[in-house]
Amino acid sequence: MAVLLIACSAVVTGARSFVAISEWAAEAPQDVLARLGARTATDLSVRVPPSGATIRRVVKDTCPGGLADLLGHDPAGTDTLALDGKSARGSRHGTTPAAHLLAAMTGTGMTVTQLRVPEKTNEITCFAALLDPLTCRVSP
């Protein structure tokens, strides 16, 4: 249960890959790991985050769609996906531009997945990366 809580917490804060989730877990403070139920490894009750391999295995075993299940809704049975980019309101800080997100949505408006568009690029260059995790699940 702790591994899934850690993975979900990382996704909520912006992690979009297994590597990003394991990096988030490795950098999480001890009190956060304790609240999420991470195991203790020593007599001093030091919390140890799960390894990247453990996170990947548990998510894939628990969620049939793997990481896509944590990132958004399942597009199975959807004939079309709409893609749209938006700047995240309130994400601009000083001279740092607002975060720009590219999302794929079903016809009913449910977000399937999204990613942050890197600065100094545009949405078009990110289409393939956005849809790559879905290609094996959407194609006939």
Side-chain angles (χ1 to χ4, degrees):
M1 184 69 155
V3 176
L4 288 176
L5 286 173
I6 289 169
C8 289
S9 298
V11 166
V12 166
T13 62
R16 293 291 178 251
S17 68
F18 287 114
V19 171
I21 292 170
S22 62
E23 288 173 353
W24 183 91
E27 295 172 5
Q30 285 290 301
D31 63 319
V32 171
L33 292 174
R35 284 188 209 134
L36 296 175
R39 67 182 177 90
T40 56
T42 66
D43 292 334
L44 300 174
S45 298
V46 174
R47 299 289 176 154
V48 178
S51 69
T54 299
I55 293 169
R56 180 183 302 268
R57 186 183 71 252
V58 170
V59 169
K60 286 189 176 219
D61 288 348
T62 307
C63 305
L67 189 55
D69 286 348
L70 293 179
L71 297 176
H73 296 278
D74 188 358
T78 300
D79 292 334
T80 60
L81 290 176
L83 301 174
D84 191 24
K86 297 288 183 203
S87 291
R89 184 176 177 185
S91 63
R92 187 176 135 214
H93 297 288
T95 60
T96 304
H100 194 75
L101 304 174
L102 179 63
M105 297 152 288
T106 64
T108 59
M110 303 300 285
T111 300
V112 174
T113 187
Q114 69 179 2
L115 61 79
R116 185 173 182 166
V117 176
E119 291 181 36
K120 300 184 181 184
T121 187
N122 61 40
E123 298 170 359
I124 295 169
T125 61
C126 297
F127 282 170
L130 177 73
L131 297 176
D132 187 49
L134 304 174
T135 54
C136 64
R137 296 173 59 207
V138 176
S139 60

